[in-house]
Structure formats: C-alpha cells, structure tokens
Amino acid sequence: MTDNPQPPRPEERDLETEWTAIIKQLEDFGVNIAQWLTGLGIGEDADLRTVTLSEPVSDARRPSVRLELTIGRAGIRALPPGSKSLIEANVTSIGPVEMSATTAGDEKSVRLRQKRFTAPTAVDDLFKPVKDAVDTVARIDQLNWDIRLNPEIPLQLTVSAGLTIDHFDFTGLNLAKLRMDGGTGYCVVKMPAGVCNATIEGSVGVFDMTIPNGAKLTLAMDNGAGATNVFIGDATVKAEIEGGVGACKIFIPEDAAVRLRADSGLGNIIVPETLKEVEFESEFISESGRWETPGFEFAANKIDLRYEGGVGSLTIEHKALTDA
C-alpha cells in the first residue's frame, strides 16, 4: 500500500507565487475580454497613470489615515526617521486616485482612495465604466500602491484591501490602533514592536501575520475564508480569534507562556505537549476546553488566546520566530 502524500504546510509553500499565478490568470481573462470589447468598438483602452501624493504632518498630534486599496500589489512601510510627511504614496492605477485631508485642532484625518465613478454625460461614454473595469483586470500586474507613513507620530490606521498581494510592514511605525478589512489574495502583515490595538476582519485567501519580540498587542480577528498563519515571538498578546472557513495555525516560541480557551466548531484543536489540559469537553462534531503552560500566571509576557471555531482546525505549534 502506498501512503497518500500529505500536502505541504502553508508556511512551507511559496504562497506569493501561487497567488501571483492566480492573478495572472485573471489578467489573461481581462485581456481577452478587453480585446473582445475593442473588436465591438466599445470604448478605448483605459489610461494607466502613476501619481505621487503626500500630506505633511504639520501640527497634527492625533492623526488618522484611511487607505482604500483596490486592485494590484500593495505595500505599506515606514518613512525615514525625521520625515516631515505624514504619508507619501506612489500609485499606479487605471482611473484617478485622490488624497483628501481634514484638520480640526490637533486632529488630522487623511484618506487615500480610488476616485469614485461619476455617471457619464454622453452616449459614447456609456460603456467606459465597463471598459475601465475590464482593463483594470487585464493590467492587474502593472497596478501598484506603494505607501509610506510617518514612523514617529502615534497613528490610527484603517486599511481596506481589495484584490491584491499585500505586504504591510508596520515594524517601524508608532501604530496605536489598526483596523483592517481584508480583501482577496495573499496578505503578509508584520506588526510593530510596541503597544497596539488591532481589529482585523476576514479576507479570502491566505493571511500571514508576524508579531515580533517586544510587541504588546490586543487583537480581535475574524479569519474569513482561507488559511490563517500567526507567528508570535517573545511578546504579550491578548487575542480573540473567530474562525472562518479554513485552517488557523499559531506558531509560538517553545518557552512561551500560553493560555488557550477554544471552541473548535467544525474542526479539531491541536496543541503541543507544553500546553496542559485544564478543561476539555468533546461533543459529536466539536471540541472545547482550556489549556495552559505551567506558571502562566507568573510570566512576564503572556500569550492569551480565545478561539471560536468555524469550519477548519486550530493548530498551535512551536516555531522560533526567526524561522517563520
């Protein structure tokens, strides 16, 4: 008898390459549709444009930034120390992109987004929204959102993702509060090594989050549909995770102080031997319980996890952060 080969674990696969291939298929589909529409005489090719936008810090002490990403690759990272800008962005898109800012006292709000569609005024323009949408998919690999944020001002950040491959490196930011609404694709998030309160709504695809050494993170997360992988270093984490459709894996240091309270939903709960069973109940299709490492209450850094299962398993594994 030949053993059934096991699929590679998410952290062992080249997920970015897989999602790049999926997006390439969408791009090819868009090219075919665009050519078909052009053959019918419907619209012209949409203009691909690149813009550079920025907004100064000025006197803002409590700034908030809202990023409404659409289609293409997206990256967020820190500006160099001492920068006078609150945000700088280079965006390549089909259709205009706008940045707006309002200031009230020491509060400043900045919003970056694709400019909203306005109704056509001529018969010749009736098909332009359709043509622009198709061309956006056809040129998806050329579209890019490159965003840099001030590293020193305490920042409240809201990110709405679209159909993207995202690399959000928050490690150099003073990120007080984060809210993310997931999109569709492959998303890599690196949290800052400081105090942060984060709310993350589910996405469709693969979501990888790294919580570095020294972080003090309060997290509420909805897994959405797909694979979720969380890599935790020597950090203090209090997380409430709601399972969606797909597996959730959490990787912790071997000597981490961990408490897990979990209801599996339609899936299993798998923990390492270092987590001792305190309570456990198994029903027909679900499991629930509480597990802790010895001495949890007295540890300096605690990982306190509350998991409400959906469809898919929860796995806790030992893995050094440098290997993630």
Side-chain angles (χ1 to χ4, degrees), residues 80-318:
S83 174
K84 301 300 183 182
S85 295
L86 176 59
I87 177 174
E88 295 181 3
N90 291 318
V91 182
T92 300
S93 66
I94 289 177
V97 171
E98 62 181 2
M99 182 184 292
S100 59
T102 59
T103 302
D106 63 352
E107 297 183 4
K108 186 167 190 171
S109 299
V110 178
R111 186 180 191 183
L112 175 66
R113 63 175 180 170
Q114 192 95 34
K115 193 171 182 179
R116 292 296 183 254
F117 165 73
T118 56
T121 57
V123 175
D124 291 342
D125 293 331
L126 288 176
F127 288 102
K128 190 175 189 310
V130 176
K131 189 70 165 109
D132 283 357
V134 171
D135 281 341
T136 297
V137 177
R139 301 185 186 186
I140 191 171
D141 194 48
Q142 302 174 54
L143 308 181
N144 186 63
W145 298 70
D146 180 18
I147 300 163
R148 300 169 304 283
L149 300 170
N150 190 286
E152 296 161 346
I153 304 295
L155 185 65
Q156 296 188 51
L157 177 63
T158 300
V159 181
S160 297
L163 175 58
T164 61
I165 295 177
D166 298 327
H167 287 267
F168 299 155
D169 186 356
F170 302 137
T171 52
L173 297 178
N174 186 355
L175 195 60
K177 188 173 182 179
L178 169 69
R179 180 179 178 87
M180 280 185 57
D181 295 325
T184 300
Y186 173 50
C187 183
V188 176
V189 174
K190 296 181 179 180
M191 297 300 293
V195 179
C196 182
N197 189 316
T199 301
I200 298 176
E201 296 294 331
S203 59
V204 178
V206 179
F207 181 83
D208 285 359
M209 171 186 281
T210 299
I211 304 172
N213 297 336
K216 298 185 183 299
L217 176 66
T218 301
L219 173 66
M221 183 165 67
D222 180 350
N223 281 353
T228 299
N229 304 294
V230 181
F231 303 89
I232 304 177
D234 184 14
T236 296
V237 179
K238 185 173 183 179
E240 294 187 2
I241 302 173
E242 185 173 343
V245 179
C248 178
K249 288 192 173 185
I250 301 175
F251 301 92
I252 60 173
E254 191 167 357
D255 58 352
V258 182
R259 171 188 288 158
L260 169 66
R261 290 163 290 179
D263 298 309
S264 68
L266 299 178
N268 298 322
I269 301 170
I270 304 168
V271 301
E273 293 182 355
T274 52
L275 268 70
K276 305 303 180 183
E277 181 182 305
V278 178
E279 300 173 2
F280 184 77
E281 182 178 349
S282 180
E283 298 181 358
F284 177 64
I285 57 173
S286 66
E287 300 173 344
S288 63
R290 179 163 62 95
W291 295 260
E292 288 185 11
T293 54
F296 172 83
E297 292 291 348
F298 305 102
N301 292 330
K302 299 181 177 68
I303 301 173
D304 191 349
L305 306 173
R306 182 73 176 92
Y307 178 82
E308 291 286 344
V311 180
S313 61
L314 168 68
T315 303
I316 311 292
E317 289 188 17
H318 290 145

